[in-house]
Amino acid sequence: MNITRRHLLLLLPAASVAWKYVLAGTPEAAPNYKLSEHWWGMLIDLPKCIGCGNCVRACQAENDVPDGYFRTWVERYHVSDYDIENPQVDSPDGGKKGFPPAKDVKGKNFFVPKLCNHCADSPCTQVCPVGATFVSQDGVVLVDPKYCLGCRYCVQACPYGCRFINPRTNTAEKCTLCYHRITKGLTTACCENCPTGARQLADLRNPADPIHEFLKTHSVHVLKPSMATRAKVYYNELDGSVR
Amino acid sequence: MNVFKDAGHLFRLAAVFVAGLLIFLVIRGFLVPKSFGQLGHYRANAVAEIAARPIKFAGHESCEGCHADVLDKKKNGKHAGVNCEACHGPQAQHADDPTAVKPDKLDTAVLCARCHEANAAKPRNFPQVDTAEHSRGLPCDTCHHPHSPVIVAGGAK
């Protein structure tokens, strides 16, 4: 058969589409790890948090986070009993080096560790113009650094302020819930290094995970429930003043 | 009456559009990553790439394989729930090659204070001291054993 110019023009697009599927194969995954069997979240037991900053240091060591940027950080709240609507919050260097003595020991003082809430309906993934950030099938919000343009839409969209632009790569970065650890059966760096057990990784799709019993028997909240993000970082005994 | 009479210029225009569309599809076929769209509106291979990043903290199970003696000391003490690397730092390299990579010696005067320095925001029942007044800069392991922190008669050292 002679291939005329007309035939070639008709064949090329069909061939390119077919070639794409030939090359793609099936997506790789870690051995013995099924995406569909997990739905990750985290439990933060606030009465146990001592504000030592171990989680912040561990996260920076594990994930090579640049100085002055944070995938997780610890805030200290001071709530005066005369003005509970306006708490004073400080977080010197993200709480990485601990906290200086409180200026005002009257009223309520407590620590609140923060990180990406790994929302099931995440505002940050919805605004990405190129599909570089997404909720994985096991419920972790991830960024594809090879696809990210660094346009900063997602940094503005996150209601919890959990994203930043990495100055070295100029791409968006955030907590991956230590995806490289949890897919190998380890816990996250912050949970591994929390000395009091205030942070606990939770697999909501595993019926044997202690999170289910905890959620049934404790007063647990998420941050900014009014945003309807379906956040999966659960705070035990969260004070109403926390934003 | 022939409706296609004098419509040649419309066919030529349509042919230009079809050619443009074909060129677009060919270029798109080469530029869009192969795994894009397999799991959703993202590159499916990114998931495996992120999962393949290296580990820095080995996890307490890999420490306990060799350091069973420390585990015995810890298990009935107050620090039973504190994992090794919470104090000793990231040790995945040490776990991979225990003879070549050795953990640093720790300064307990700095280390213990990270958790136990008094602060009004810490939970009331958490043991905390004003280190300046309590130990005056002495390392804590002069008196306390770090793996099971009780006062040791005659000093821990």
Side-chain angles (χ1 to χ4, degrees):
Chain A
M1 175 185 148
N2 285 332
I3 294 182
T4 63
R5 192 181 302 167
R6 177 178 304 234
H7 283 129
L8 189 70
L9 282 175
L10 284 174
L11 275 172
L12 269 177
S16 77
V17 170
W19 183 236
K20 184 178 151 184
Y21 284 98
V22 169
L23 284 182
T26 47
E28 303 157 50
N32 307 322
Y33 182 83
K34 283 213 179 73
L35 289 167
S36 56
E37 285 176 0
H38 305 274
W39 190 246
W40 296 106
M42 193 178 279
L43 174 68
I44 296 187
D45 201 350
L46 287 178
K48 287 186 181 171
C49 181
I50 57 170
C52 62
N54 243 14
C55 47
V56 185
R57 286 189 297 273
C59 178
Q60 299 214 314
E62 179 73 33
N63 297 300
D64 200 17
V65 181
D67 260 349
Y69 296 84
F70 303 94
R71 291 186 182 193
T72 183
W73 67 98
V74 183
E75 292 173 358
R76 175 170 62 183
Y77 272 71
H78 168 72
V79 189
S80 160
D81 40 355
Y82 294 99
D83 190 11
I84 60 165
E85 285 277 290
N86 294 297
Q88 289 164 27
V89 186
D90 68 340
S91 182
D93 204 7
K96 189 162 70 171
K97 301 186 180 91
F99 288 80
K103 287 192 202 93
D104 188 356
V105 294
K106 288 179 191 152
K108 237 183 324 191
N109 290 286
F110 53 91
F111 297 109
V112 183
K114 297 238 174 123
L115 71 157
C116 168
N117 287 265
H118 293 283
C119 312
D121 287 339
S122 53
C124 58
T125 61
Q126 289 167 33
V127 298
C128 182
V130 295
T133 182
F134 52 90
V135 185
S136 70
Q137 284 187 323
D138 42 359
V140 182
V141 179
L142 296 171
V143 180
D144 177 356
K146 289 187 183 163
Y147 226 55
C148 176
L149 300 167
C151 74
R152 294 157 169 79
Y153 275 11
C154 57
V155 179
Q156 295 195 40
C158 174
Y160 307 100
C162 295
R163 283 171 173 255
F164 59 91
I165 298 289
N166 185 325
R168 291 193 293 248
T169 60
N170 278 320
T171 55
E173 209 174 282
K174 63 179 289 299
C175 162
T176 60
L177 210 61
C178 280
Y179 198 70
H180 58 300
R181 298 176 62 86
I182 62 176
T183 49
K184 296 182 184 85
L186 294 165
T187 185
T188 66
C190 56
C191 294
E192 174 71 28
N193 291 297
C194 179
T196 61
R199 282 171 171 250
Q200 286 159 43
L201 180 71
D203 185 355
L204 297 155
R205 210 164 269 167
N206 175 6
D209 196 296
I211 180 80
H212 298 292
E213 187 58 29
F214 196 97
L215 291 178
K216 268 186 268 182
T217 52
H218 290 76
S219 169
V220 177
H221 292 263
V222 293
L223 295 176
K224 300 188 184 178
S226 56
M227 300 290 291
T229 59
R230 288 168 66 205
K232 298 204 289 334
V233 173
Y234 301 98
Y235 287 86
N236 182 32
E237 293 190 29
L238 184 69
D239 192 85
S241 62
V242 176
R243 300 286 178 261
Chain B
M1 184 186 152
N2 184 2
V3 290
F4 294 114
K5 191 187 163 200
D6 297 334
H9 65 292
L10 292 179
F11 287 121
R12 285 193 293 277
L13 190 62
V16 170
F17 272 104
V18 169
L21 183 68
L22 292 182
I23 291 167
F24 168 76
L25 286 176
V26 171
I27 294 173
R28 187 181 182 277
F30 283 106
L31 291 185
V32 174
K34 291 136 206 162
S35 66
F36 198 94
Q38 283 182 338
L39 299 175
H41 189 67
Y42 57 94
R43 208 167 53 91
N45 282 351
V47 178
E49 285 169 24
I50 293 168
R53 288 175 187 169
I55 284 172
K56 308 273 173 65
F57 287 92
H60 59 104
E61 282 97 349
S62 53
C63 309
E64 288 158 5
C66 300
H67 300 283
D69 53 324
V70 183
L71 186 64
D72 279 348
K73 269 185 216 154
K74 271 175 66 183
K75 70 181 176 198
N76 295 320
K78 286 275 191 185
H79 281 173
V82 183
N83 290 336
C84 313
E85 287 161 311
C87 300
H88 292 278
Q91 298 299 343
Q93 287 183 326
H94 170 66
D96 285 344
D97 192 349
T99 49
V101 186
K102 295 284 185 194
D104 293 336
K105 284 274 172 224
L106 301 172
D107 181 2
T108 53
V110 178
L111 185 76
C112 303
R114 280 181 190 162
C115 291
H116 293 288
E117 185 72 62
N119 195 308
K122 287 184 182 177
R124 293 267 181 278
N125 57 357
F126 184 77
Q128 30 192 319
V129 292
D130 181 351
T131 47
E133 177 260 332
H134 178 84
S135 59
R136 295 184 202 90
L138 272 180
C140 307
D141 63 350
T142 315
C143 302
H144 302 271
H145 199 293
H147 288 131
S148 181
V150 286
I151 301 271
V152 182
K157 274 184 175 170

